[in-house]
Amino acid sequence: MADLQEPVSLPPKTQLLDENVVFSILGDPLRRKLLMVLARKSAQPAADLHKTHQLCSTVKHLAVMRSAGFVIMAANPADGRRALYSLSPAISAVVSECSVAFHFCFQSFSAEVSIGASVSPTKHQWNEDFVFDTLAEPVRRRLLLALARGGPQPAVNLQGAGGRTIDDTLKRLARMRTAGLVTMSDNQKDGRRNLYSLSPQVPLTTDGASKVIDFGFCVLRLG
């Protein structure tokens, strides 16, 4: 598998996408696999894409991906009963021997996603399914980005990102603490309000004016 220590050259992407839609697609392991397969070889019938899954499940996922603008469907001139599926031209993909890299631009950040790639053994081994599941949930994603941008904060300061009530925010933060994404510490300025921070294991760095969260297979660049 490819090692992400070597940067992948991605084409420029100017079209802004809906982050909720993109991460809802990436949050499902089968959809990620379908993206990789279609990036490698376009114009395939669903029957050729369901190698390890039920055909009906594959067709349902392809329908969701079509609705999200990730996949297009065309008539099959060789077999009118089986439509052909391809990756949408709107999705930027760079294919290498062992992985496929995608580049997505959103309103306030961008994401570089490598499907099928390995991470450096020197990095914390984040579980791909877990990370994409977290990013697929809008509130947890907003909390992750808010902590990356703003550093340690009490829950009340995160309520705008964390939900309609402080209880919603605290529940999400508790789940993220259990998952190892967030830590909680005493607040020296206000003993009644604990401070929440990204876990030291979350690979947060600074690149110029941007913050970067690099999970290896998914890099978030915060403008």
Side-chain angles (χ1 to χ4, degrees), residues 8-21:
V8 177
S9 177
L10 290 165
K13 186 69 177 174
T14 57
Q15 180 181 353
L16 294 180
L17 302 174
D18 185 326
E19 62 187 85
N20 291 330
V21 172

Side-chain angles (χ1 to χ4, degrees), residues 24-209:
S24 71
I25 296 298
L26 295 174
D28 185 278
L30 176 54
R31 292 175 195 165
R32 292 199 302 273
K33 184 174 182 180
L34 288 171
L35 280 176
M36 182 173 68
V37 173
L38 288 173
R40 291 187 177 282
K41 182 181 178 182
S42 62
Q44 296 191 64
D48 291 353
L49 295 168
H50 80 106
K51 304 298 184 182
T52 59
H53 296 80
Q54 294 291 329
L55 178 58
C56 60
S57 175
T58 299
V59 171
K60 288 179 181 178
H61 282 293
L62 287 169
V64 172
M65 294 167 73
R66 282 185 64 207
S67 297
F70 273 70
V71 168
I72 57 175
M73 185 175 71
N76 186 344
D79 185 346
R81 298 170 301 172
R82 303 199 302 173
L84 298 176
Y85 294 89
S86 302
L87 194 66
S88 168
I91 304 301
S92 291
V94 174
V95 179
S96 64
E97 183 178 353
C98 298
S99 66
V100 178
F102 297 90
H103 185 209
F104 305 103
C105 279
F106 310 114
Q107 189 67 42
S108 62
F109 71 102
S110 65
E112 297 161 15
V113 175
S114 293
I115 301 176
S118 63
V119 298
S120 167
T122 62
K123 296 180 180 178
H124 177 79
Q125 297 293 302
W126 288 98
N127 179 275
E128 185 175 305
D129 290 343
F130 163 74
V131 169
F132 283 120
D133 179 67
T134 297
L135 294 174
E137 208 279 305
V139 174
R140 283 186 284 162
R141 184 177 66 250
R142 290 197 298 267
L143 286 170
L144 184 75
L145 299 183
L147 288 171
R149 289 188 173 105
Q153 301 174 60
V156 67
N157 288 18
L158 296 165
Q159 188 174 339
R164 288 176 292 182
T165 68
I166 190 65
D167 285 342
D168 288 339
T169 303
L170 288 169
K171 287 178 182 178
R172 275 4 187 274
L173 288 168
R175 184 173 179 182
M176 294 171 75
R177 283 183 64 203
T178 301
L181 285 168
V182 168
T183 60
M184 185 176 71
S185 60
D186 293 334
N187 186 341
Q188 301 300 322
K189 295 182 179 180
D190 186 346
R192 299 170 301 171
R193 296 177 176 177
N194 292 316
L195 293 177
Y196 292 88
S197 311
L198 288 185
S199 165
Q201 292 180 325
V202 174
L204 177 66
T205 59
T206 300
D207 182 8

